[in-house]
Amino acid sequence: MKDKVSAIQKEELLKQYFGHSAFRPGQEALIDALTGGRDVLGVMPTGAGKSVCYQIPALLLPGITLVVSPLISLMKDQVASLKQVGVAAAYINSSLSYPQYLEVLRRARRGAYKIIYVAPERLSTEGFLAFAQEVELSLLAVDEAHCVSQWGQDFRPSYLKIAEFCKTLPKRPPIGAFTATATDEVKRDIIKLLDLREPLELTTGFDRPNLFFSVETPKSKAVWLHSFLAVRREQSGIVYCATRKNVEKVCEDLQERGFEATRYHAGLEDAERRANQEDFLYDRARVMVATNAFGMGIDKSNVSFVVHYNMPKNIESYYQEAGRAGRDGAKAECVLLYAPSDVHTAKYMIEHSEDNEELSEEERKLIRKRDLERLIRMAGYGKTPDCLRRYILRYFGEQAPVHCGNCGNCCGEMERVDITTEAQKILSGVTRVERKYFHSLGITMVVHMLVGSKEQRIYDLGLDTLPTYGALHGLERSTVRRYIDCLIEQGFLRQTEEEHPVLCTTERAKDVLFHGETVVYVGKKQKKPEKKETPADLAADRGLYAALSALRATLARQESVPAYVVFTNATLLDMAAKQPRTTDELLAVNGVGSRKAERYGAQFLRCIQSWRETDR
Ligand code: ADP
Ligand code: ZN
């Protein structure tokens, strides 16, 4: 009986506060465990909905729920969102002045808050420890729990203090650890280092059905990006670059061309970083050009695309960064701009990465080796002709259908070209280089030689005297390069492991050169970026979505919150589709809870009403 009551309660809370009518996979089990006093480890992809897994228990349990979170900007927005829906919440971090901090503690002692977000560093300060002794803590939620593990790139030493903090409490509350990182090492670390006790471990599916994945190999990334953005002027998105220099370059270029772009990387002054991030969150800048320093905890839910200008170091990073698109559940695009040279840049960065002082030489070597293996899998994503979603899901150990029907490779046209003749020329070119110099050359020089380039280095090396000089005259360099990649992949060529890798033939090259083996290149047809019709476009065409989103912008400005804190894009889309006339109908829109209906309902209903009268 008791279970039944709480089942009804949970769902009511989900609807009433958050406006959702059903739980997503995994949420209910995690909530039940936490409210029942059991520790949990919830592994869910970004955007799956981890927050409600501790926010609903927080509402059901009698005392205060502490949420440990690594990022200040995230806390502020989370608390703003909670206040919007009527949950008493506060945050404690370095952005508060000392008097403000004391005020939060004072009010918390009087029971003013159900949820308090706190930066991990706080947990070991005297004042906070004393506070924690006095009040009733019902739950400790640890967001981005992978930060406790040294295996990840987000390691935060202060996370190691969480377990100690719990030991000082008069009564240990259940601990809920949440992360999007699913590797076994990290999961084991979290359990051990946070001292979770027989936790319910729950890993939900990693698929994000609303994301459309694609890989593009344009001749010029800059030109590609211009045409991509030109047809998405109304949308907001992130462009990730590998280096600070690239961020500067790309951002400047976009601004010169009239795009509302801003930038973010670790080399900027704090003040500029903060200002740029706010510009993006508040939709004053539509495009954020950034290094991977931008992101963890970015809770902007109306990101419609994430373009990777350069390839990240591994699929984990890629999926996490790309996953910042479409967090509200609306359709969104994730594009990787693949260039083979990015693989080398990434390799270089792994080999010259700053050493983590806390690791031994042995551990460092191990980590490098593992990082290089992961890089190869990432590069594989850029080259695979198969379903991209399946490639990612299988990487995370999940089953997936052969075709998802919703990625660039499933939808795009593939070309299959018999390149046996070209392959023979390439392989014999490499063989001749090997013979002439007793060692080989890097890919770039081989390409130059094959297309008959007139670069000085060619003459210096005497490559113009080889019979294969200019053998592929007339082909684009990028095409020759793709064919070489294809030959490497199919095992006819290989690259050495040195710092400056050179190209060598393998035993199997003979099969193509002398035994009639054919080579087929399977790749995507090169095409211009085109705009996909999203439900937003359809709704926008009809004008209602635009009207709703203008109203949202006005309200957001009045209240100084980002637009998505009022309603997410997904909610506006649903509203535009359902066109509610009454408050009851409005409550049936996904993302409209009773508090928001009360607060904004009248204005949105009026907006829909007047659209109905005039615009149709
Ligand atoms: P995470 O922390 O896992 O990245 P969030 O907690 O920020 O994800 O949730 C992502 C989005 O999913 C939010 O816009 C949230 O409102 C929405 N969401 C969460 N749970 C549900 C649900 N049960 N039904 C519909 N939308 C949901
Ligand atoms: Zn697919």
Side-chain angles (χ1 to χ4, degrees), residues 386-390 402-411:
D386 301 330
C387 174
L388 294 170
R389 176 169 269 105
R390 175 180 164 89
V402 180
H403 283 283
C404 74
N406 185 29
C407 77
N409 287 3
C410 285
C411 301

Short mmCIF file of all heavy atoms in Angstrom, two decimals, residues 386-390 402-411, ligand 2:
data_model
loop_
_atom_site.label_atom_id
_atom_site.label_comp_id
_atom_site.label_asym_id
_atom_site.label_seq_id
_atom_site.Cartn_x
_atom_site.Cartn_y
_atom_site.Cartn_z
N ASP A 386 29.53 2.67 -42.14
CA ASP A 386 28.36 2.06 -41.51
C ASP A 386 27.60 3.06 -40.65
O ASP A 386 28.01 4.19 -40.48
CB ASP A 386 28.80 0.87 -40.64
CG ASP A 386 29.52 -0.17 -41.47
OD1 ASP A 386 29.20 -0.29 -42.67
OD2 ASP A 386 30.43 -0.83 -40.93
N CYS A 387 26.51 2.57 -40.07
CA CYS A 387 25.65 3.41 -39.24
C CYS A 387 26.45 4.04 -38.09
O CYS A 387 27.11 3.36 -37.32
CB CYS A 387 24.51 2.57 -38.68
SG CYS A 387 23.48 3.47 -37.50
N LEU A 388 26.39 5.35 -38.00
CA LEU A 388 27.18 6.06 -37.00
C LEU A 388 26.65 5.84 -35.58
O LEU A 388 27.41 5.73 -34.62
CB LEU A 388 27.20 7.55 -37.31
CG LEU A 388 27.92 7.93 -38.61
CD1 LEU A 388 27.66 9.39 -38.96
CD2 LEU A 388 29.42 7.67 -38.48
N ARG A 389 25.34 5.79 -35.47
CA ARG A 389 24.75 5.58 -34.15
C ARG A 389 25.17 4.22 -33.62
O ARG A 389 25.56 4.07 -32.47
CB ARG A 389 23.22 5.68 -34.26
CG ARG A 389 22.51 5.39 -32.96
CD ARG A 389 21.04 5.75 -33.04
NE ARG A 389 20.81 7.12 -32.61
CZ ARG A 389 20.55 8.13 -33.42
NH1 ARG A 389 20.45 7.93 -34.71
NH2 ARG A 389 20.36 9.34 -32.95
N ARG A 390 25.12 3.23 -34.48
CA ARG A 390 25.52 1.89 -34.08
C ARG A 390 26.99 1.86 -33.66
O ARG A 390 27.36 1.23 -32.68
CB ARG A 390 25.29 0.93 -35.26
CG ARG A 390 25.78 -0.49 -35.05
CD ARG A 390 25.46 -1.29 -36.31
NE ARG A 390 26.19 -2.53 -36.39
CZ ARG A 390 25.76 -3.68 -35.88
NH1 ARG A 390 24.61 -3.71 -35.24
NH2 ARG A 390 26.47 -4.77 -36.00
N VAL A 402 21.47 -2.57 -37.22
CA VAL A 402 22.48 -2.29 -38.24
C VAL A 402 22.27 -0.91 -38.86
O VAL A 402 23.22 -0.20 -39.14
CB VAL A 402 22.45 -3.38 -39.33
CG1 VAL A 402 23.50 -3.09 -40.40
CG2 VAL A 402 22.69 -4.74 -38.71
N HIS A 403 21.00 -0.57 -39.06
CA HIS A 403 20.67 0.75 -39.60
C HIS A 403 19.77 1.50 -38.65
O HIS A 403 18.73 0.97 -38.26
CB HIS A 403 19.93 0.61 -40.94
CG HIS A 403 20.85 0.27 -42.06
ND1 HIS A 403 21.66 1.19 -42.65
CD2 HIS A 403 21.08 -0.90 -42.67
CE1 HIS A 403 22.37 0.60 -43.59
NE2 HIS A 403 22.04 -0.68 -43.62
N CYS A 404 20.14 2.72 -38.28
CA CYS A 404 19.25 3.47 -37.41
C CYS A 404 18.29 4.32 -38.23
O CYS A 404 17.25 4.74 -37.75
CB CYS A 404 20.04 4.37 -36.46
SG CYS A 404 20.78 5.82 -37.25
N GLY A 405 18.64 4.56 -39.50
CA GLY A 405 17.76 5.37 -40.35
C GLY A 405 17.77 6.84 -39.98
O GLY A 405 16.99 7.62 -40.51
N ASN A 406 18.62 7.23 -39.04
CA ASN A 406 18.63 8.61 -38.58
C ASN A 406 20.05 9.11 -38.37
O ASN A 406 20.37 9.70 -37.35
CB ASN A 406 17.80 8.72 -37.29
CG ASN A 406 17.65 10.15 -36.82
OD1 ASN A 406 17.65 11.07 -37.63
ND2 ASN A 406 17.54 10.33 -35.51
N CYS A 407 20.93 8.79 -39.31
CA CYS A 407 22.28 9.34 -39.25
C CYS A 407 22.75 9.57 -40.67
O CYS A 407 22.14 9.09 -41.63
CB CYS A 407 23.23 8.42 -38.49
SG CYS A 407 23.79 6.99 -39.41
N GLY A 408 23.82 10.33 -40.80
CA GLY A 408 24.31 10.69 -42.13
C GLY A 408 24.60 9.47 -42.99
O GLY A 408 24.34 9.48 -44.19
N ASN A 409 25.14 8.43 -42.37
CA ASN A 409 25.50 7.25 -43.16
C ASN A 409 24.28 6.42 -43.55
O ASN A 409 24.25 5.82 -44.61
CB ASN A 409 26.52 6.39 -42.41
CG ASN A 409 27.88 7.04 -42.41
OD1 ASN A 409 28.06 8.14 -42.92
ND2 ASN A 409 28.87 6.35 -41.83
N CYS A 410 23.28 6.36 -42.67
CA CYS A 410 22.07 5.62 -43.01
C CYS A 410 21.26 6.37 -44.06
O CYS A 410 20.63 5.76 -44.91
CB CYS A 410 21.20 5.39 -41.78
SG CYS A 410 21.85 4.12 -40.69
N CYS A 411 21.27 7.70 -43.97
CA CYS A 411 20.43 8.48 -44.87
C CYS A 411 21.18 8.95 -46.10
O CYS A 411 20.60 9.17 -47.14
CB CYS A 411 19.87 9.71 -44.17
SG CYS A 411 18.91 9.27 -42.73
ZN ZN B 2 22.47 5.17 -38.70
#
